[in-house]
Amino acid sequence: MICGRGPFSRGLSRLLSPAKGNEYDIIIVGGGIVGSSLAYHLVNNKNNISSPLRVACLERESSGEYHSTGRSAALFAESYGSPGSRKLTMASRAWFDSQTIPVLSDRGCLWVGLSHEEQRIKETYAELQTTNTRVDFISAKESYERAPFLKPEILGIGLYEHNAMDLDVHTIYESFLKGFLNKGGVMLKNQNGHVHQIEKNGNKWHVTTIDGVTHKTSILANCSGAWGDHVAEMAGIKPIGLVPKRRTCVILDNSVIPEHLRKSDEWRKWPFVLAPDWYIKPEAGQLLLSDHDAIPSVACDAQPEEIDIASCIDRVSNVTNLNIRSIKRKWAGLRSFVEDEEFVLGQDDTDPTFIWDCGQGGYGIQSSQATGELVASLIRGNGIPPRLQDFGVTSQEFDVKRIKSRIFANINEMSREGSK
């Protein structure tokens, strides 16, 4: 559970032992942006520990960017996500802004409203007033001026989010990873980082990878995305009901843009254009298109379905003047959620040496810095950092107990229904 007393608060001498061989103070399972951010903050946070923490990050692929981290729309929008995740997104902004190599660039977001959708747009506007973002109503004419590939005759009032920005995901990931490795962190990949078995032996976790090597640790952090429940069950920890959901994206050549618009480079500055069932953004001289789907899946190397692509292109063709005859590239990624779509962060309620850092859905990249800072602080027993408290982060919204109680209640309800 999230509280001021993390695993280290019980006394470092009872948990940390002299490092030797494959023994670590903390092992992180999952080397994507969530795991790399936690790793970065564990080795870089100032603390009272006399010797540096030995932290290892285990990644089953050749790169932590292989799955969800590398399959993103790469947008920073403080309006996007669950209420708790929005706080962590806002809190991450300062770190992003402080990077030597810029990782944010202007984009803006146009929330498309069709002529019959005025009520939906007004409801969306009211919801966005609870966030820190600047959003204005815009007319149909203004929507068309900002995104002139739309069919003007179908437009109604829309919204424009001024401070939505593009994210340089690769640079952010590399910043976390280099900051971790430069402080002596260990990253193991492929068969060296593919976890095969987890056992608890006394006060140590024994984590065996498929190369046959067993790594020992006092603290085990689960940052394994769509595989989060699988890792928990290997460790003998009850799952939290994670549901991976597939989202499909395609890259369109800029030749789909009407020629009179393509002649000018202004199209490269078009905003992220968001409708309820699709979105489009310029990206690297091309257009990225997604059908905004969320199809339940097993944890896997997600692949796009042709029917999803065709359906998306059909919907977009009905409301735009894009001439989509073929696609240049396609992919799919998994976004994993628990029932209430908030993150699950901190100690497990049955074993405080098992740490959850899962359920980030589609918001894990834009909130990655503050999420890593929060979980690292909880592991150290320091509670929620004052800086994050200033953004309204509380001790209840990410607690694993809230979601396990929901699962228990659902099981009881199903039992009662079955006995009728």
Side-chain angles (χ1 to χ4, degrees), residues 90-104:
M90 290 186 284
S92 296
R93 175 66 186 267
W95 188 88
F96 293 149
D97 283 337
S98 72
Q99 297 306 292
T100 304
I101 301 175
V103 298
L104 296 175

Side-chain angles (χ1 to χ4, degrees), residues 38-193:
L38 175 58
Y40 168 87
H41 285 91
L42 284 170
V43 299
N44 281 281
N45 280 1
K46 293 181 179 179
N47 55 78
N48 297 321
I49 301 174
S50 57
S51 58
L53 292 174
R54 278 178 51 85
V55 181
C57 190
L58 307 185
E59 169 54 48
R60 60 187 288 162
E61 306 292 353
S62 60
S63 168
E65 296 179 273
Y66 182 78
H67 289 290
S68 297
T69 298
R71 309 184 194 191
S72 160
L75 186 76
F76 179 91
E78 294 171 341
S79 65
Y80 183 55
S82 58
S85 74
R86 290 174 180 173
K87 299 173 187 177
L88 295 174
T89 294
M90 290 186 284
S92 296
R93 175 66 186 267
W95 188 88
F96 293 149
D97 283 337
S98 72
Q99 297 306 292
T100 304
I101 301 175
V103 298
L104 296 175
S105 55
D106 292 338
R107 175 59 61 192
C109 179
L110 170 62
W111 298 68
V112 175
L114 303 184
S115 55
H116 63 280
E117 293 183 317
E118 182 173 340
Q119 184 59 35
R120 179 183 68 82
I121 290 295
K122 288 181 176 178
E123 290 172 356
T124 301
Y125 178 81
E127 180 184 358
L128 296 184
Q129 295 312 294
T130 64
T131 71
N132 196 42
T133 194
R134 179 189 165 197
V135 180
D136 293 324
F137 285 109
I138 59 174
S139 67
K141 180 176 180 291
E142 291 173 299
S143 292
Y144 179 68
E145 289 171 349
R146 290 186 181 274
F149 64 89
L150 297 170
K151 292 181 177 178
E153 64 271 17
I154 54 90
L155 295 175
I157 63 168
L159 299 174
Y160 191 74
E161 183 175 347
H162 295 266
N163 48 356
M165 308 190 82
D166 280 344
L167 279 169
D168 185 340
V169 178
H170 176 71
T171 299
I172 295 168
Y173 175 76
E174 285 293 310
S175 294
F176 289 141
L177 184 58
K178 289 177 181 177
F180 170 57
L181 297 177
N182 288 343
K183 289 294 184 71
V186 175
M187 173 67 84
L188 301 175
K189 301 177 183 178
N190 295 319
Q191 64 177 4
N192 305 117

Side-chain angles (χ1 to χ4, degrees), residues 408-419:
F408 184 73
N410 289 342
I411 291 173
N412 283 342
E413 181 64 26
M414 287 188 289
S415 297
R416 285 194 294 270
E417 290 295 323
S419 64

